[in-house]
């Protein structure tokens, strides 16, 4: 993606996102590029996916559901009851349709940034982690520790984030998407195995 396109995307996001979400977005983009440097991923793709990951976040829930209906995007029962989860799916759709992104890895990183998925690509993990640790995030527990871990062992950071997210969801009325649970179990097992080897 050319620099001019990145500039255009930033301008468009500044208009469609509220101020805090825009600041978060910029934070995710530069945190993702830092992680890409650390782990040898594409810096360009990290910036692009970081910028676009929440592009559908500031849309009314009704509009989210209407877009899914119009474009035949499947909505699970959990998503029906928790439409905010759809911002990842719709974000990946808008990245293709509006922002003309065709790289499958970038699209998947946007699609899976909230729940993760078992067997994520390096870029998907980078966006998943960058979203949680970017410098404007303040509320999550254990942030200092997870921020350090992210630059030491990415898979361990993924497990820790999912564990804290599941603990948080269990303490609230938030309904757990089976994908969040499955991703946790996959990376928990993977990192335990690596410890034994
Ligand atoms: O969009 P952001 O706020 O930047 O970040 P995000 O897309 O990762 O969304 C974070 C929220 O998503 C956080 O409050 C935890 C929540 N979340 C993650 N997995 C699940 C979930 N919420 C529900 N209800 N179920 C899940 O499985
Ligand atoms: Fe998000
Ligand atoms: Fe985000």
């Amino acid at each position: 993606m050319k620099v001019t396109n990145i500039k255009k995307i930033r301008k468009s996001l500044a208009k469609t996102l509220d101020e805090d979400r825009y600041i978060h977005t910029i934070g995710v983009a530069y945190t993702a590029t830092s992680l890409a440097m650390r782990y040898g991923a594409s810096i360009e793709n990290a910036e692009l996916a970081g910028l676009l990951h929440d592009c559908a976040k500031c849309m009314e829930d009704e509009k989210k559901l209407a877009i899914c209906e119009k474009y035949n995007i499947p909505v699970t029962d959990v998503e029906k009851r928790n439409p905010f989860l759809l911002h990842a799916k719709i974000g990946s759709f808008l990245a293709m349709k509006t922002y003309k992104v065709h790289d499958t890895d970038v699209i998947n990183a946007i699609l899976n940034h909230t729940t993760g998925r078992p067997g994520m690509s390096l870029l998907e993990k980078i966006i998943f982690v960058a979203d949680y640790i970017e410098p404007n995030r303040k509320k999550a527990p254990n942030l200092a520790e997870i921020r350090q871990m992210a630059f030491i062992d990415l898979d361990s950071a993924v497990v820790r984030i999912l564990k804290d997210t599941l603990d948080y969801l269990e303490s609230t009325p938030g309904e757990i998407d089976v994908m969040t649970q499955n991703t946790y179990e996959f990376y928990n097992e993977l990192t335990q195995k690596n410890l034994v080897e």
Side-chain angles (χ1 to χ4, degrees):
M1 173 108 1
K2 291 195 219 108
V3 176
T4 47
N5 290 345
I6 288 282
K7 273 192 186 163
K8 268 193 207 157
I9 290 174
R10 256 196 234 119
K11 266 194 194 153
S12 162
L13 291 171
K15 280 187 213 141
T16 49
L17 298 177
D18 65 40
E19 193 185 8
D20 284 353
R21 186 57 48 180
Y22 182 70
I23 291 169
H24 161 70
T25 291
I26 299 300
V28 173
Y30 61 67
T31 304
T33 56
S34 306
L35 288 167
M37 289 177 201
R38 160 69 180 87
Y39 291 105
S42 158
I43 293 172
E44 268 189 4
N45 282 354
E47 181 171 28
L48 189 56
L51 281 176
L52 289 174
H53 82 285
D54 272 344
C55 69
K57 183 84 179 187
C58 293
M59 190 184 277
E60 300 282 325
D61 285 347
E62 268 123 61
K63 187 158 180 206
K64 287 195 193 90
L65 292 163
I67 288 181
C68 289
E69 190 158 335
K70 181 167 177 195
Y71 294 99
N72 293 317
I73 300 171
V75 179
T76 66
D77 288 342
V78 180
E79 287 167 341
K80 250 177 233 160
R81 289 189 292 269
N82 305 272
F84 88 92
L85 287 168
L86 284 169
H87 77 276
K89 233 180 222 180
I90 297 173
S92 68
F93 173 73
L94 294 182
M96 288 187 270
K97 188 172 153 45
T98 308
Y99 295 96
K100 313 288 181 217
V101 173
H102 303 298
D103 186 294
T104 323
D105 202 18
V106 172
I107 298 299
N108 281 340
I110 300 167
L111 178 63
N112 298 308
H113 84 264
T114 303
T115 59
R117 70 171 174 97
M120 285 187 278
S121 73
L122 177 58
L123 183 68
E124 288 175 88
K125 287 188 277 190
I126 284 176
I127 297 301
F128 183 82
V129 170
D131 189 23
Y132 198 87
I133 66 167
E134 66 92 6
N136 305 292
R137 289 273 199 217
K138 306 271 190 267
K139 285 189 209 141
N142 312 311
L143 265 177
E145 195 186 335
I146 296 173
R147 282 176 173 138
Q148 280 197 341
M149 203 188 266
F151 287 86
I152 297 167
D153 181 345
L154 197 59
D155 286 349
S156 297
V158 168
V159 175
R160 192 61 199 272
I161 289 167
L162 285 158
K163 180 166 190 321
D164 286 357
T165 299
L166 289 169
D167 284 352
Y168 164 76
L169 288 172
E170 267 154 26
S171 73
T172 67
E175 186 180 2
I176 292 170
D177 190 313
V178 67
M179 188 65 97
T180 310
Q181 185 69 39
N182 288 347
T183 312
Y184 168 69
E185 281 163 19
F186 179 91
Y187 283 99
N188 191 39
E189 206 169 294
L190 187 83
T191 50
Q192 296 297 325
K193 243 189 235 156
N194 290 347
L195 280 180
V196 174
E197 276 166 13

